[in-house]
Amino acid sequence: MKALEERILSEGRILPGPVIKVSSFLNHQMDPDLIMEIGSEIGKRFADASVTKILTIESSGIAIALAVGASLHVPVVFAKKHRTSNVSGEVYQTIVHSYTHNVDYTVVVESEFINSNDNILLVDDFLANGKALEGLMELAHQAGAKVVGAGIAIEKGFQNGGSGLRERGLRIESMVIIDRMDENGIIFR
Amino acid sequence: MKALEERILSEGRILPGPVIKVSSFLNHQMDPDLIMEIGSEIGKRFADASVTKILTIESSGIAIALAVGASLHVPVVFAKKHRTSNVSGEVYQTIVHSYTHNVDYTVVVESEFINSNDNILLVDDFLANGKALEGLMELAHQAGAKVVGAGIAIEKGFQNGGSGLRERGLRIESMVIIDRMDENGIIFR
């Protein structure tokens, strides 16, 4: 997606990791026009997938997921992150390890919001090692729902999350895939 | 706002507190069409306020804030919540007490994203005791920015946050104000 590539080139900052910091337009400060455009484009790519529900994870997935939901006119559910596993009520839950913060989160969705009739589209801002998507797939699995694919804003193609999940049969549409980034700049696929 | 009142009446559940649970359409599962409509309406009410930036707080404020930003075509910043006060870098920060979870959060915005030229519109899903809005006002104050008002989806008019902040001169536009709720139902202002 051209508009997103351009924005990454003009405002993204490469930090050790390597991490690409896009907090000026994607996940701390957000450009709503760009995010609505990303949502439309992901919606278009999955227009044929009979999506009944969008599933994302708080916090930085919420805005893009809402934009996809506004494009497809289907409900958006965001899984909640807890530091503890002390979650009460009727929920689906799993553990997701965050490499960024080096901590395990319990990720939870109330069970009334996904069910076995759902065709779920997963949405997130980033795809790197794939742990967040795997957690969301596990929640969908617990509900007996079908996962029709994943719509991602920025995929770090040099990490193995995307290729591993595609090998397992997941349809992934990433608006931008970064194949390399270092002091010489950013190479998109 | 009629559409929001109707949705609260049909799907809201009153729990002890009293708390109104609207997680089927506003803050766990979200109806994107309704949220975009709320965003448009808040945007319309502040169309004359020369808003340069929307400021909200993760997580449940993000979707509505994005919708307002899409209506006004201005950037949306969400303050991040941390359990610890160990925040590094150039940030504005303050403490907000959550009565719902009975815990203090450190609420943080990177300082590059708000500044003294900004006319800030605060946005949140709920206004009850006003502590979250006060925290956001404090962050704006630290940046030397002007707060032009607050756009709220649901105000609990029987708690004193809204009246106290209006007395201090804050312009608040709530899409729905609940004056009473109990076993007999919900009375809107």
Side-chain angles (χ1 to χ4, degrees):
Chain A
M1 203 180 119
K2 201 75 192 157
L4 182 54
E5 285 188 4
E6 284 169 1
R7 200 63 175 272
I8 291 169
L9 290 175
S10 66
E11 295 184 29
R13 279 182 300 185
I14 299 167
L15 304 178
V19 163
I20 176 95
K21 197 173 178 219
V22 290
S23 50
S24 68
F25 59 93
L26 200 67
N27 52 23
H28 183 17
Q29 178 167 261
M30 307 182 291
D31 176 340
D33 295 333
L34 178 66
I35 286 175
M36 294 310 290
E37 196 182 333
I38 293 170
S40 279
E41 181 60 31
I42 292 175
K44 239 182 266 171
R45 306 259 185 116
F46 287 96
D48 61 348
S50 304
V51 175
T52 63
K53 211 154 276 180
I54 313 290
L55 181 62
T56 187
I57 192 167
E58 66 180 357
S59 287
S60 53
I62 294 174
I64 297 168
L66 182 82
V68 180
S71 161
L72 293 175
H73 303 288
V74 299
V76 177
V77 176
F78 64 89
K80 300 188 179 192
K81 277 181 199 163
H82 297 272
R83 282 292 186 86
T84 62
S85 55
N86 261 337
V87 178
S88 61
E90 306 262 308
V91 299
Y92 302 119
Q93 59 179 291
T94 189
I95 306 286
V96 171
H97 183 75
S98 164
Y99 286 89
T100 319
H101 301 105
N102 192 29
V103 68
D104 284 337
Y105 290 103
T106 300
V107 174
V108 175
V109 169
E110 290 184 32
S111 57
E112 64 183 301
F113 297 133
I114 47 177
N115 64 64
S116 59
N117 296 317
D118 277 322
N119 288 327
I120 293 183
L121 174 60
L122 310 177
V123 170
D124 211 354
D125 57 343
F126 270 94
L127 167 55
N129 56 54
K131 294 301 171 200
L133 282 189
E134 282 178 13
L136 294 177
M137 287 168 77
E138 167 60 23
L139 296 178
H141 175 74
Q142 289 175 21
K146 187 180 169 197
V147 173
V148 300
I152 301 293
I154 303 176
E155 179 175 344
K156 291 162 88 175
F158 54 88
Q159 290 189 242
N160 58 9
S163 57
L165 288 165
R166 283 186 185 92
E167 275 164 28
R168 288 165 54 188
L170 185 68
R171 175 180 171 195
I172 303 176
E173 299 280 352
S174 297
M175 297 305 96
V176 158
I177 300 179
I178 296 175
D179 265 339
R180 215 181 64 204
M181 57 185 198
D182 54 30
E183 64 280 5
N184 300 312
I186 297 172
I187 308 292
F188 296 108
R189 188 169 301 175
Chain B
M1 206 179 117
K2 200 75 190 158
L4 182 54
E5 286 188 4
E6 283 169 1
R7 199 64 173 274
I8 291 169
L9 290 176
S10 66
E11 294 185 30
R13 278 184 300 187
I14 300 168
L15 304 177
V19 163
I20 176 99
K21 197 170 178 221
V22 291
S23 51
S24 67
F25 59 93
L26 200 65
N27 51 24
H28 183 16
Q29 177 167 262
M30 306 181 292
D31 175 340
D33 296 333
L34 178 66
I35 287 176
M36 294 310 289
E37 197 183 331
I38 292 170
S40 280
E41 180 61 31
I42 293 175
K44 237 181 268 172
R45 305 255 187 120
F46 287 97
D48 60 349
S50 304
V51 175
T52 62
K53 209 153 281 179
I54 313 289
L55 181 61
T56 188
I57 191 166
E58 67 179 354
S59 289
S60 54
I62 293 174
I64 297 169
L66 181 82
V68 179
S71 160
L72 292 175
H73 302 288
V74 298
V76 177
V77 177
F78 64 89
K80 301 190 178 191
K81 279 181 196 164
H82 297 273
R83 282 294 186 87
T84 62
S85 56
N86 260 338
V87 178
S88 60
E90 305 261 308
V91 300
Y92 302 119
Q93 60 178 289
T94 189
I95 306 285
V96 171
H97 182 75
S98 164
Y99 285 89
T100 318
H101 302 105
N102 193 27
V103 67
D104 284 337
Y105 290 103
T106 301
V107 173
V108 175
V109 169
E110 289 183 33
S111 57
E112 64 183 298
F113 298 133
I114 46 176
N115 64 62
S116 59
N117 295 318
D118 277 322
N119 289 327
I120 293 183
L121 175 59
L122 310 177
V123 170
D124 210 354
D125 57 341
F126 270 94
L127 167 56
N129 55 54
K131 294 301 169 200
L133 282 189
E134 282 177 14
L136 294 177
M137 288 169 75
E138 168 60 24
L139 297 178
H141 175 75
Q142 289 175 21
K146 187 180 168 196
V147 173
V148 300
I152 302 292
I154 301 175
E155 179 176 343
K156 291 161 88 175
F158 54 88
Q159 290 188 243
N160 58 11
S163 56
L165 288 165
R166 285 185 183 94
E167 274 165 28
R168 286 164 56 187
L170 186 67
R171 175 180 170 192
I172 303 175
E173 298 279 351
S174 297
M175 297 304 97
V176 157
I177 301 178
I178 296 175
D179 266 338
R180 216 182 63 204
M181 57 185 198
D182 53 31
E183 65 279 5
N184 299 312
I186 297 173
I187 309 291
F188 295 110
R189 187 170 301 177

